[in-house]
């Protein structure tokens, strides 16, 4: 059966308290964010003792770490900043197994100097793609050398932002140290969101064999998301938290508050990956019960 998890970062507490709270909601795995109030996991502090403490704490609460967040802008236009970002990511990759999972995830980044979530014309040039390809190849080799795997996550505003670009990157970096984080919502823009089922089929027809971990959030045209229907969340701030980074007219929000065809997504995913971890994201702690209930209902409907 599929495993349902959540990012640990949505629980901003100490290590032990975060694990307890996540398990109390009934999740059975986590995507590990390296931020806790009582342990320093910054660059240079992923010591053997710290890694073991994190891994063992989650295991003690029946929450194995299925993957690790390494999100950073790997092609930042400032070369010193880029090097620092890539060095930190490699540090996480080298210590991934000690933290409990071989899988480390990042998107491919942008040349935009204002925000790592905004597009830039250079992202869609051959020069921009080639520079990114070289770094992806380095990360894949680093992962392979340490018994890990770097998972690329496609995102429309980044260098690798479409099905075609994802296929191209895997063709050019055909390496056992590289895999795919599947999040179909990250492939949608205003021009293709009305072809929901077609894009979902395209993603799985071309990339299914690369998938290692899946994400669960939602996508909608701005103004069409359903987050306002969940007034039981408690306050305006919690409601607003459903809308995170988006692409022009598109918002990426909590699972069950948008227009993603979850039935088709789960059918396609389960066909080849029936035991894959699926990680809930783009919500805050107040919305966890509703999102968990939504996902539990979808899993039950499909016998997952």
């Amino acid at each position: 059966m599929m495993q349902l998890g959540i990012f640990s970062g949505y629980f901003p507490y100490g290590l032990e308290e975060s694990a307890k709270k996540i398990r109390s909601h009934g999740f059975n795995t986590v995507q590990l964010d390296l931020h806790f109030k009582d342990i320093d996991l910054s660059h240079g502090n992923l010591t053997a003792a710290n890694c073991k403490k994190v891994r063992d704490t989650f295991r003690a609460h029946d929450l194995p770490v299925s993957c690790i967040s390494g999100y950073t802008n790997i092609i930042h236009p400032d070369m010193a900043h880029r090097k620092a970002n890539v060095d930190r990511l490699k540090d996480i990759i080298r210590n991934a197994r000690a933290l409990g999972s071989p899988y480390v995830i990042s998107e491919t980044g942008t040349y935009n100097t204002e925000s790592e979530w905004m597009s830039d014309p250079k992202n869609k040039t051959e020069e921009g793609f080639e520079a990114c390809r070289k770094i992806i190849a380095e990360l894949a080799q680093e992962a392979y050398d340490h018994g890990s795997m770097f998972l690329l996550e496609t995102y429309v505003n980044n260098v690798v932002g479409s099905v075609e670009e994802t296929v191209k990157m895997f063709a050019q970096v055909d390496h056992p140290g590289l895999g795919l984080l599947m999040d179909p919502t990250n492939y949608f823009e205003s021009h293709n969101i009305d072809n929901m089922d077609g894009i979902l089929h395209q993603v799985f027809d071309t990339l299914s064999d690369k998938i290692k971990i899946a994400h669960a959030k939602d996508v909608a045209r701005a103004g069409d998301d359903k987050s306002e229907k969940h007034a039981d969340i408690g306050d305006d701030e919690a409601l607003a938290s459903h809308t995170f980074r988006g692409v022009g007219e598109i918002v990426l929000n909590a699972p069950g508050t948008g227009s993603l065809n979850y039935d088709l997504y789960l059918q396609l995913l389960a066909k080849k990956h029936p035991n894959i971890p699926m990680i809930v994201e783009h919500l805050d702690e107040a919305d966890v019960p509703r999102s968990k209930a939504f996902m539990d209902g979808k899993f039950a409907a499909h016998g997952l």
Side-chain angles (χ1 to χ4, degrees):
M1 60 182 293
M2 283 191 187
Q3 305 299 304
L4 187 63
I6 193 167
F7 281 70
S8 64
Y10 295 128
F11 299 83
Y13 308 102
L15 178 60
E16 179 76 18
E17 186 177 1
S18 295
K20 284 182 179 179
K21 286 182 177 290
I22 293 169
R23 193 70 184 96
S24 73
H25 288 286
F27 292 105
N28 52 23
T29 188
V30 293
Q31 177 165 332
L32 182 65
D33 294 302
L34 299 176
H35 304 285
F36 299 96
K37 288 187 174 181
D38 56 356
I39 183 169
D40 183 4
L41 300 172
S42 61
H43 190 48
N45 289 296
L46 289 178
T47 62
N50 280 346
C51 290
K52 184 178 187 300
K53 182 176 182 180
V54 171
R55 179 192 69 222
D56 290 353
T57 297
F58 280 102
R59 284 182 179 175
H61 292 278
D62 296 320
L63 286 168
V65 174
S66 57
C67 53
I68 303 160
S69 298
Y71 296 104
T72 191
N73 189 352
I74 65 172
I75 46 86
H76 194 286
D78 180 278
M79 297 303 291
H81 197 157
R82 180 189 300 183
K83 183 179 185 304
N85 288 350
V86 173
D87 286 350
R88 167 60 171 169
L89 183 51
K90 287 182 177 179
D91 187 29
I92 297 170
I93 287 170
R94 287 191 291 269
N95 290 283
R97 282 199 170 274
L99 287 163
S101 170
Y103 300 126
V104 178
I105 305 167
S106 180
E107 291 150 336
T108 54
T110 177
Y111 290 94
N112 191 288
T113 58
E114 296 181 14
S115 169
E116 61 185 288
W117 311 121
M118 293 173 62
S119 61
D120 187 89
K122 189 174 179 179
N123 291 355
K124 303 309 172 185
T125 64
E126 284 300 318
E127 177 190 0
F129 188 91
E130 175 59 17
C132 184
R133 184 203 63 77
K134 288 180 179 178
I135 296 170
I136 295 292
E138 284 182 26
L139 294 170
Q141 187 63 50
E142 189 79 22
Y144 184 76
D145 290 344
H146 292 85
S148 302
M149 181 176 284
F150 174 65
L151 301 189
L152 179 160
E153 180 173 353
T154 306
Y155 175 58
V156 291
N157 275 353
N158 286 181
V159 172
V160 177
S162 67
V163 180
E164 294 80 8
E165 289 163 349
T166 308
V167 170
K168 179 180 177 181
M169 183 61 76
F170 276 98
Q172 294 192 14
V173 186
D174 184 10
H175 195 290
L178 181 64
L180 181 67
L181 182 287
M182 174 48 61
D183 188 337
T185 66
N186 286 352
Y187 295 81
F188 289 107
E189 300 179 74
S190 57
H191 71 83
N192 66 5
I193 193 170
D194 294 327
N195 184 26
M196 177 74 64
D197 292 3
I199 297 298
L200 285 172
H201 278 290
Q202 182 188 11
V203 168
F204 281 93
D205 286 347
T206 57
L207 295 166
S208 186
D209 63 323
K210 306 297 184 184
I211 300 169
K212 304 300 178 183
I213 303 288
H215 277 177
K217 65 173 184 281
D218 224 315
V219 61
R221 289 187 182 278
D224 290 345
D225 60 302
K226 305 169 188 173
S227 57
E228 70 275 4
K229 296 183 179 180
H230 304 291
D232 58 320
I233 293 172
D235 56 48
D236 291 340
E237 182 179 356
L239 287 170
S241 72
H242 286 298
T243 300
F244 284 71
R245 62 184 188 272
V247 187
E249 300 175 356
I250 302 300
V251 293
L252 301 173
N253 40 13
T257 65
S259 58
L260 181 66
N261 186 345
Y262 257 98
D263 294 314
L264 180 57
Y265 176 30
L266 290 174
Q267 289 168 13
L268 294 171
L269 189 62
K271 186 175 180 179
K272 290 193 175 181
H273 303 280
N275 299 311
I276 197 169
M278 176 169 273
I279 309 298
V280 174
E281 64 167 342
H282 279 217
L283 73 172
D284 64 6
E285 188 179 353
D287 191 38
V288 170
R290 183 207 58 79
S291 295
K292 176 68 162 51
F294 171 79
M295 293 305 302
D296 285 345
K298 290 298 183 184
F299 275 27
H302 293 278
L304 301 175

